[in-house]
Amino acid sequence: MRWTPHVTVATIIEQDDKFLCVEEQSVSLGQLVINQPAGHVEADETFIEAAIRETLEETGWSVTPTGLVGIYVYKAPANGVTYHRYCFAAQAESHDPDLPLDTGIERAVWLSRAELEKQKEKLRSPMVTRCIDDYLSGIRFPLSVIVEPNSQ
């Protein structure tokens, strides 16, 4: 059997010392969890396009990615799946509160790092705070570090 990781993106958007998060139903965990706007990269989609699309679909916010925070590998104990997460920093541009959110997303919410720590047991994975901590420490790589067909 061939091993195939799941390729995902996540986006960190900060405003007024709070981070844009989603509360979503996790099928594998069977509970409501907190995550960054995140999701799978679709066929023929760049990582940056996926980050923009997932953020809009899950929160109603249009964003402009400004840098790559990191690439993270996580094996979920709940389902044994390995995820490769490309985490982006992004600037919020506009919000459409009437846009329907993706299936399973209960709501978008702005939370501080301290508020996330208080709800640690509700995080989808430890990657939520790890990515934010890396972002807060100033880690940013230029988007040009990702070479994709559309960027050549």
Side-chain angles (χ1 to χ4, degrees):
M1 182 182 202
R2 184 179 181 158
W3 174 78
T4 305
H6 290 230
V7 180
T8 63
V9 294
T11 310
I12 296 174
I13 302 101
E14 182 184 19
Q15 278 189 353
D16 302 321
D17 298 321
K18 294 197 176 210
F19 298 94
L20 183 59
C21 296
V22 296
E23 287 185 337
E24 61 184 338
Q25 290 294 333
S26 170
V27 175
S28 61
L29 297 174
Q31 65 185 41
L32 191 67
V33 296
I34 298 170
N35 198 7
Q36 279 103 9
H40 289 83
V41 177
E42 295 180 356
D44 299 320
E45 183 175 51
T46 69
F47 296 114
I48 294 168
E49 290 168 345
I52 293 167
R53 176 187 52 76
E54 285 290 351
T55 303
L56 182 63
E57 290 175 353
E58 293 191 355
T59 69
W61 280 91
S62 294
V63 299
T64 301
T66 57
L68 178 70
V69 176
I71 301 170
Y72 303 82
V73 179
Y74 176 71
K75 185 173 182 178
N79 60 14
V81 172
T82 299
Y83 296 91
H84 288 193
R85 173 188 262 218
Y86 289 70
C87 185
F88 293 90
Q91 174 69 41
E93 301 295 346
S94 63
H95 182 239
D96 181 352
D98 297 323
L99 194 68
L101 303 181
D102 262 358
T103 302
I105 304 293
E106 296 290 324
R107 68 182 180 130
V109 59
W110 293 90
L111 298 169
S112 69
R113 177 61 179 87
E115 290 169 326
L116 286 165
E117 189 64 31
K118 288 179 185 172
Q119 299 184 68
K120 191 184 260 186
E121 72 286 346
K122 287 182 67 179
L123 299 180
R124 183 171 188 104
S125 79
M127 292 295 97
V128 175
T129 50
R130 171 65 194 271
C131 291
I132 288 174
D133 290 344
D134 288 349
Y135 168 87
L136 288 172
S137 74
I139 296 175
R140 307 283 192 292
F141 298 95
L143 295 175
S144 62
V145 74
I146 303 170
V147 179
E148 299 183 279
N150 294 348
S151 65
Q152 295 177 352

